[in-house]
Amino acid sequence: NVLNAKEHAREAEIIKDAGQVGAVTIATNMAGRGVDIKIDDTVREVGGLYVLGTERHEARRIDNQLRGRSGRQGDPGETRFYLSGQDDLVRLFAGDRIHNIMERFKLPDDQPMEASILSRQIENAQKKVEEQNFVARKNVLKYDDVMNVQRMVIYEQRNRVLHGEDLADDIREEWLPEVISNVVADYTSFEAPEEWELGELVGAMETIYGTGVAESELKGLDREAIVQEFLDDALDAYAEREKDLDQIQEGLMRDLERFIVLQTVDIRWREHLENMDYMREGIHLRGMAQKDPLVEYRNEGHAMFLDLNRAIREEVVTLLFHAEVTPDDGSAGLQQQDDGSGNGSLSYEHQSLAGADAILAAGGTSTAAAAGYASGGGSVSTPVAQKPKVNSDIENIGRNDPCWCGSGKKYKKCHGA
């Protein structure tokens, strides 16, 4: 009989017959822990179960499990292991010594050697391998701890979105100021203000949120004043953006914030995991430069994580200003139902993202993110109707337009302040 974990239907029968008189069972390591071979009185009288091993494993625990199949619960039994001089364990740790002994005593190749010194040598070799494996597992755990710290930060952000928390204060007070400050620092890195790239800075801000600040307004200002100028302008633009979305549906801006944050974090986090795996594959080469690979992995991983957070916040802020959200009159859903291409009375709603259904109902899209979510099968049955509202001429004035009072100042710095 052969016990090799491939004949699942006959395993119980093979184990039941393995304790019979004259039965020979060839087994892999699966015959170790959890296999209880019963023997009868006839087998006990002739010496019990005999376990014959053909190799010694790297871990002594595996050998002891195989030995433990015989002599169970007071029954007689015997175990014996045979090793070859070409086995990896013997060749790496005791090969030369065994070869010298055979040469000195002129032992033939087919004659087994039994000596306590050889058994101790093999056991010491197993201890060395176990120590190496323990160090390897411990080292892997240290590398995993680096990713675990980053994973906790990212999952905390995702959980806040999935639980439907309000992210408006975080975006206004943390994300938006940080994005503005980082962009200003990139274009004003020189010490001399004459070397600052103010024109390119205005263009970058225009890409992020459509700034109305002109280059001439920034001349003569220090770096902190420039940051404050753009921040005030961006907060005004964000408030105006929220006001426009509230005309479509009350609270739509909060839903849009959660939707974009979740999509951006998921995409960027997957890319970050791939980059960290790629770096880990070759980080051991830093040891050739007398550097600790773990320290290098931790330092570079932290730098990459900071870049990840910056990329996430810049992308989220940009999408919040540029995402196109339009009201849906529900004609698309009715046409789909008439064509029979819908799923009948069945509908699927993504319950993990609070408020995403409202965005989809409003027809919201944010680059490829909204399209990707819609392809996941989400469906909303109730369209959102646009609220009719008539604005006066004063209310239609943009924040960067001349004020209606004729002072010559911008509206945001006069009556719009």
Side-chain angles (χ1 to χ4, degrees):
N1 294 323
V2 178
L3 190 60
N4 55 4
K6 292 185 178 180
E7 301 182 23
H8 301 287
R10 298 186 61 243
E11 282 183 5
E13 182 179 352
I14 293 173
I15 295 174
K16 179 177 65 68
D17 298 336
Q20 303 297 324
V21 178
V24 177
T25 303
I26 302 174
T28 60
N29 290 339
M30 74 154 293
R33 182 178 180 182
V35 176
D36 191 4
I37 300 176
K38 301 294 185 180
I39 59 177
D40 53 19
D41 294 336
T42 305
V43 177
R44 291 188 182 92
E45 293 176 358
V46 297
L49 187 66
Y50 189 90
V51 176
L52 177 64
T54 59
E55 65 173 340
R56 293 283 286 272
H57 298 81
E58 292 184 350
R60 291 170 294 172
R61 173 183 56 83
I62 302 177
D63 295 338
N64 293 334
Q65 287 180 355
L66 295 175
R67 288 193 183 101
R69 298 315 98 197
S70 65
R72 297 175 67 85
Q73 298 181 357
D75 292 335
E78 184 179 351
T79 63
R80 180 178 292 267
F81 283 79
Y82 287 90
L83 285 82
S84 170
Q86 301 301 321
D87 289 348
D88 292 339
L89 190 64
V90 178
R91 177 173 53 83
L92 294 176
F93 295 95
D96 295 338
R97 180 170 299 183
I98 293 177
H99 180 73
N100 294 334
I101 293 175
M102 294 180 66
E103 290 290 336
R104 179 180 301 177
F105 294 100
K106 305 299 182 181
L107 296 175
D109 294 340
D110 57 350
Q111 179 178 346
M113 294 186 301
E114 294 187 47
S116 58
I117 186 174
L118 292 178
S119 298
R120 288 195 299 269
Q121 194 74 19
I122 297 300
E123 187 172 354
N124 291 333
Q126 288 178 311
K127 291 181 179 179
K128 293 180 180 179
V129 175
E130 290 175 358
E131 292 175 357
Q132 292 177 357
N133 294 336
F134 173 76
V135 172
R137 291 192 300 269
K138 185 178 180 180
N139 200 35
V140 170
L141 184 60
K142 291 181 180 178
Y143 280 94
D144 291 340
D145 288 340
V146 177
M147 287 301 304
N148 189 45
V149 174
Q150 300 179 4
R151 188 179 296 109
M152 292 175 61
V153 176
I154 293 296
Y155 280 21
E156 182 181 0
Q157 292 181 355
R158 295 188 78 256
N159 289 335
R160 293 187 60 192
V161 176
L162 297 177
H163 294 159
E165 295 186 14
D166 191 351
L167 305 178
D169 293 338
D170 293 340
I171 294 177
R172 294 194 192 99
E173 300 175 5
E174 297 181 14
W175 293 35
L176 192 55
E178 180 180 338
V179 171
I180 298 296
S181 178
N182 291 335
V183 175
V184 171
D186 291 340
Y187 290 93
T188 60
S189 58
F190 298 102
E191 293 295 334
E194 294 78 11
E195 299 180 359
W196 290 352
E197 302 172 348
L198 299 180
E200 290 77 3
L201 174 59
V202 173
M205 292 298 181
E206 181 70 25
T207 303
I208 294 177
Y209 73 93
T211 181
V213 178
E215 180 181 354
S216 58
E217 300 179 37
L218 304 177
K219 294 182 179 180
L221 300 179
D222 57 6
R223 187 177 290 106
E224 289 73 14
I226 293 177
V227 172
Q228 190 62 40
E229 179 71 20
F230 280 115
L231 181 58
D232 294 340
D233 188 58
L235 290 175
D236 292 339
Y238 197 80
E240 186 174 341
R241 171 71 166 168
E242 182 175 355
K243 181 179 179 182
D244 294 339
L245 292 181
D246 285 343
Q247 295 180 4
I248 299 177
Q249 177 180 325
E250 189 71 24
L252 184 57
M253 190 64 178
R254 305 287 84 81
D255 299 334
L256 182 64
E257 290 169 350
R258 288 189 288 266
F259 181 81
I260 292 180
V261 169
L262 183 64
Q263 294 292 333
T264 305
V265 168
D266 287 349
I267 294 175
R268 292 291 185 175
W269 176 244
R270 287 194 294 266
E271 295 175 354
H272 179 73
L273 292 178
E274 295 177 358
N275 295 334
M276 292 291 289
D277 290 339
Y278 180 77
M279 181 181 67
R280 183 173 176 178
E281 291 177 359
I283 198 66
H284 64 278
L285 298 176
R286 302 291 179 91
M288 302 178 64
Q290 304 300 320
K291 297 180 180 180
D292 188 351
L294 178 60
V295 175
E296 294 294 313
Y297 180 80
R298 184 182 294 113
N299 293 338
E300 293 200 13
H302 180 68
M304 292 173 61
F305 187 67
L306 294 179
D307 294 339
L308 169 68
N309 284 328
R310 175 173 178 174
I312 289 176
R313 298 192 174 190
E314 288 184 0
E315 186 172 348
V316 168
V317 170
T318 303
L319 289 176
L320 285 174
F321 281 105
H322 294 281
E324 297 181 2
V325 182
T326 57
D328 186 7
D329 56 1
S331 59
L334 295 176
Q335 182 178 0
Q336 181 180 7
Q337 186 175 4
D338 295 338
D339 295 341
S341 58
N343 55 2
S345 59
L346 298 177
S347 63
Y348 171 77
E349 294 182 2
H350 198 294
Q351 297 294 337
S352 62
L353 178 58
D357 51 352
I359 297 176
L360 291 176
T365 58
S366 59
T367 61
Y373 179 81
S375 62
S379 63
V380 181
S381 58
T382 305
V384 178
Q386 185 177 8
K387 299 178 181 179
K389 183 177 181 181
V390 179
N391 294 332
S392 63
D393 294 337
I394 296 178
E395 292 177 336
N396 289 328
I397 296 178
R399 65 184 188 281
N400 292 301
D401 294 336
C403 186
W404 55 268
C405 67
S407 62
K409 298 181 180 179
K410 291 184 178 181
Y411 177 72
K412 65 180 183 181
K413 294 185 177 180
C414 189
H415 283 78

